Amino acid sequence: MFEKVLIANRGEIALRIHRACREMGIHTVAVHSTADADAMHVRLADESVCIGPPPAKDSYLNIPAILSAAAITGADAIHPGIGFMAEKAQFAEMVEEHGFVFIGPTPAHIRAMGDKVIAKKTVADAGLPVVPGSDGPVGTVEQALEVAHDIGYPVLIKAAAGSGGKGMKGARNPQSLREAFGLARGEARAAFGADDVYIEKFLTRPRHIEVQVLADTHGNAVHFGERDCSVQRRHQKVVEEAPSPALNAEERDYIGTLASRTTQRIGYRGVGTMEFLFEDGQFYFIEMNTRLQVEHTISEMITGIDLVREQIRIATGAPLGFDQSDIRFSGHSVECRINAEHPETFVPSPGRIEGYHAPGGLGVRVDSALYDGYLVPPNYDSLIAKLIVHGATRNECLMRLRRALEEFVIGGIETTLPLHQRLIQEQDFINGSYDIHWLEGLLARIR
Ligand code: ADP
């Protein structure tokens, strides 16, 4: 087992990883920018190293600074968390070249899955159904028009290197495709440094269903069931639940088994997520995330398995300690992502926390690095807390969620708490009848 792990991240996820390490008897090293000197992950870690000024490019994305911190503290392994370095193949490579263990997949898998065109081809070859679209990158408007003609409008132009819901443009007809194509390439280049784009059929009312997978380095792979992440704004997840209210037992078993089998077939290692759109009883693969996901928590709640702990164990080369039949699913879980943003305009709202009270009680979990008096810096992602609840049934879970949201106090800044309080009382949400466009529709109605 590792003696010391460096956590190359910040905020709630750094804390989440610290907690898993602590329970495994592993010492932790926090790294931080000058803006995060007083952050909770720094306070709780055994050691901490300042790796640069506030802008992420100079600190949390500063590879030499992170590797130096690992060297001077004598860390055995580096956990990249979520975002920042988590899906940078070059970072994973350099970590290993410098003699540390990268707690994550191989650089080759990160690279292959980071290019969504290659990812789709890889999983399609392994037998997964994918969203109809171009076979590879599309380089010219003429080619784009041809693909769209074949698959039918509306279509979506997507950046091969896209992530975080960015780099997507829809087109309803040839005219709008002509206009959107150049724009999409320009935006992809600006955001991701690469202008490769591909075309997909735009599904008009799908649900986003993803499967949590885990594989060891001995050829074993399992799944932890699905998560329904259809409540989205601007292609970004807002609320997630597990299991999905839209799947029956047969569909659940089908997609879980298919995802873990594919994970095994491609020789993957560590935790990962296979994302699908689900419409009219059909699943279509969209991408694989080669890292822990923000919403891994709800899979933990319904299985009782600590995914970060398993991730760390597997990185040591240990085999999975259980097989699929040992994973028991129990009850229902929902997560609300609470952002430091105005609940109606979504304008970021960094600043000092004045008054903080986290909800508690049976089946309530809050993953957050907030505390009273903490200054939320303006430099990073606006996610400040995840409220996760578990109940024996979906109904119990929703009642508990409502109660916990009422108790939650985050003073001093604007947060999206009121949005969550509102949306979970919507009849469509209560009925579980929503698709990926539902929240946008609701926001347009209540504005
Ligand atoms: P990212 O990596 O940026 O998160 P994804 O490919 O995972 O991008 O897609 C994010 C979200 O965008 C999906 O959950 C879904 O809401 C929407 N989306 C992606 N592809 C399609 C599609 N072909 N049709 C309709 N919506 C889509």
Side-chain angles (χ1 to χ4, degrees), residues 304-326:
I305 294 175
D306 182 332
L307 289 169
V308 179
R309 183 188 185 98
E310 294 309 319
Q311 194 181 21
I312 294 170
R313 279 191 56 250
I314 279 167
T316 67
L320 268 179
F322 47 84
D323 59 27
Q324 191 66 49
S325 62
D326 297 318

Side-chain angles (χ1 to χ4, degrees), residues 173-399:
N173 50 47
Q175 166 74 14
S176 64
L177 181 56
R178 277 177 202 284
E179 285 163 13
F181 189 74
L183 281 177
R185 290 190 66 150
E187 281 181 22
R189 197 177 316 120
F192 309 109
D195 61 4
D196 275 356
V197 296
Y198 63 108
I199 309 268
E200 263 180 9
K201 175 114 190 128
F202 178 79
L203 302 181
T204 50
R205 44 186 183 81
R207 298 183 76 116
H208 174 116
I209 305 283
E210 59 183 35
V211 180
Q212 175 71 59
V213 292
L214 173 70
D216 64 16
T217 50
H218 305 269
N220 306 302
V222 291
H223 70 83
F224 292 82
E226 84 285 3
R227 298 185 284 255
D228 193 321
C229 313
S230 305
V231 179
Q232 300 184 354
R233 178 177 169 270
R234 297 199 171 164
H235 306 306
Q236 288 180 11
K237 299 159 190 167
V238 175
V239 176
E240 303 98 348
E241 63 177 309
S244 167
L247 299 193
N248 61 36
E250 203 182 316
E251 289 161 338
R252 173 163 300 125
D253 191 49
Y254 164 77
I255 200 62
T257 306
L258 197 57
S260 58
R261 210 175 280 159
T262 307
T263 305
Q264 187 176 36
R265 207 165 287 166
I266 64 172
Y268 190 78
R269 86 172 182 215
V271 302
T273 299
M274 299 241 174
E275 298 193 334
F276 301 87
L277 295 178
F278 177 68
E279 190 175 84
D280 296 332
Q282 294 291 323
F283 291 96
Y284 305 94
F285 172 88
I286 46 172
E287 70 161 337
M288 179 174 193
N289 286 313
T290 53
R291 54 168 169 83
L292 198 64
Q293 303 258 106
V294 169
E295 62 276 19
H296 74 278
T297 53
I298 55 176
S299 303
E300 293 182 326
M301 301 302 273
I302 61 165
T303 60
I305 294 175
D306 182 332
L307 289 169
V308 179
R309 183 188 185 98
E310 294 309 319
Q311 194 181 21
I312 294 170
R313 279 191 56 250
I314 279 167
T316 67
L320 268 179
F322 47 84
D323 59 27
Q324 191 66 49
S325 62
D326 297 318
I327 302 175
R328 303 250 176 254
F329 296 92
S330 162
H332 199 92
S333 184
V334 176
E335 172 180 275
C336 292
R337 297 189 186 201
I338 297 152
N339 291 347
E341 288 169 5
H342 189 283
E344 282 158 24
T345 61
F346 300 99
V347 171
S349 175
R352 180 87 53 199
I353 302 294
E354 286 162 15
Y356 179 74
H357 173 78
L362 182 66
V364 176
R365 163 176 174 185
V366 176
D367 279 19
S368 173
L370 290 188
Y371 58 87
D372 196 14
Y374 172 67
L375 184 66
V376 178
N379 315 80
Y380 313 108
D381 190 89
S382 61
L383 179 75
I384 48 169
K386 306 190 302 203
L387 170 62
I388 306 120
V389 299
H390 181 258
T393 61
R394 186 169 186 270
N395 188 46
E396 185 180 290
C397 182
L398 296 189
M399 293 305 282

Side-chain angles (χ1 to χ4, degrees), residues 45-58:
D46 295 297
E47 289 167 74
S48 64
V49 181
C50 181
I51 51 166
K57 67 174 179 32
D58 301 321

Side-chain angles (χ1 to χ4, degrees), residues 34-85:
T34 50
D36 278 338
D38 292 328
M40 189 74 105
H41 76 282
V42 177
R43 291 182 176 200
L44 291 186
D46 295 297
E47 289 167 74
S48 64
V49 181
C50 181
I51 51 166
K57 67 174 179 32
D58 301 321
S59 49
Y60 298 104
L61 294 172
N62 181 344
I63 298 180
I66 296 169
L67 294 178
S68 305
I72 57 172
T73 55
D76 309 304
I78 299 183
H79 195 308
I82 295 174
F84 296 130
M85 291 303 186

